[in-house]
Amino acid sequence: MSFERSVKIAPSILSADFANFGAECEAIETQGCDWVHVDVMDGHFVPNITFGPSTCAAIRPHIKGVMDVHLMIAPVDPYIEAFAKAGADVITAHVEAGPHVHRTMQAIRANGAKAGIALNPGTPASAIEYLLDLVDLVCVMTVNPGFGGQKFIHSQIEKVRQLKSMIGGRPVHIEIDGGVDPTTAPLVTQAGADVLVAGSAVFKGGSVSNPDVYGQNIRAIREAAVGVYA
Ligand code: DX5
Ligand code: ZN
């Protein structure tokens, strides 16, 4: 997984058919997505439960590209090895998930994955100032985590700008998660984001038997985003 700053569309399978993850992952990749975003929720850190490492391992053979695993769980550290063994390329944990997130980032890299740090909408950019040399990705939550289909929180655009400047020349991706669609995508790429997670905006109206809609939805987000990406 080499580093580059072009815009990447990462559909969240939270909006896919849960009975058909393998075929859904194959369909979105065939339809032109860049990464596959996998939302893990524990019913404790966030008020919803999805699935764990064994589901990630089951879908891994159906993803050719980057499997981007977003952990909305606390604690994180006891599960890092399992998600790495499941084949995650990127493992992202929340800065709010525990007191020793610095150690968590070291542990993710030690397990051979890229390390991501996510910030909830109420958390300032400064919270991760001392982590920037330890991470490969910063995920700015533009909704409160837990559910797909929520409204984009515009105040986070300024946070993206601040993080872009704090990151400077480091090879660190800025990922946006929540409420990304063709209207909000250009706002965040203009502010410095390069990875756009989109659940409902990619999967709406399509299915594995009607996958062209996924392609149209992915292209609509990409074209809107790239139009202003410098
Ligand atoms: C929210 C998840 C997101 C979510 C995005 O907790 O982390 O990945 O699925 O969904 P949309 O794009 O529908 O806001
Ligand atoms: Zn996510």
Side-chain angles (χ1 to χ4, degrees):
M1 197 189 149
S2 60
F3 182 84
E4 43 86 26
R5 286 193 195 280
S6 61
V7 168
K8 291 164 281 295
I9 310 296
S12 163
I13 60 166
L14 188 60
S15 295
D17 175 1
F18 269 45
N20 215 359
F21 276 146
E24 290 276 39
C25 290
E26 288 169 13
I28 52 178
E29 281 199 330
T30 303
Q31 292 297 323
C33 79
D34 301 285
W35 292 8
V36 176
H37 184 83
V38 179
D39 285 310
V40 175
M41 306 186 186
D42 67 353
H44 165 74
F45 180 71
V46 290
N48 192 8
I49 300 176
T50 55
F51 45 75
S54 47
T55 303
C56 292
I59 64 176
R60 174 72 265 190
H62 300 274
I63 300 172
K64 291 197 187 105
V66 171
M67 182 160 92
D68 175 33
V69 176
H70 178 192
L71 300 181
M72 287 161 275
I73 67 174
V76 179
D77 294 11
Y79 303 101
I80 291 171
E81 187 182 353
F83 284 104
K85 284 200 170 132
D89 296 291
V90 182
I91 298 178
T92 297
H94 272 258
V95 68
E96 306 87 0
H100 299 297
V101 71
H102 187 284
R103 178 185 295 146
T104 302
M105 294 299 114
Q106 291 176 316
I108 293 171
R109 282 186 166 177
N111 275 275
K114 300 284 184 194
I117 186 74
L119 295 87
N120 281 335
T123 302
S126 59
I128 62 161
E129 189 179 347
Y130 290 95
L131 297 173
L132 290 176
D133 289 319
L134 286 178
V135 302
D136 303 288
L137 176 146
V138 175
C139 173
V140 178
M141 294 304 304
T142 39
V143 299
N144 284 295
F147 303 96
Q150 302 182 78
K151 206 173 164 324
F152 181 89
I153 302 172
H154 283 259
S155 62
Q156 303 305 301
I157 297 168
E158 176 55 26
K159 193 194 290 183
V160 177
R161 270 191 216 105
Q162 288 172 12
L163 286 164
K164 173 79 177 160
S165 141
M166 285 165 64
I167 288 167
R170 295 178 181 90
V172 176
H173 297 288
I174 300 181
E175 176 175 73
I176 305 299
D177 192 357
V180 171
D181 64 20
T183 64
T184 55
L187 307 176
V188 289
T189 48
Q190 202 163 34
D194 64 304
V195 184
L196 305 181
V197 176
S200 37
V202 167
F203 286 94
K204 70 161 194 257
S207 68
V208 291
S209 49
N210 190 14
D212 291 358
V213 176
Y214 295 162
Q216 289 159 20
N217 291 341
I218 290 167
R219 278 194 297 282
I221 298 167
R222 193 190 301 283
E223 281 164 19
V226 169
V228 293
Y229 189 76

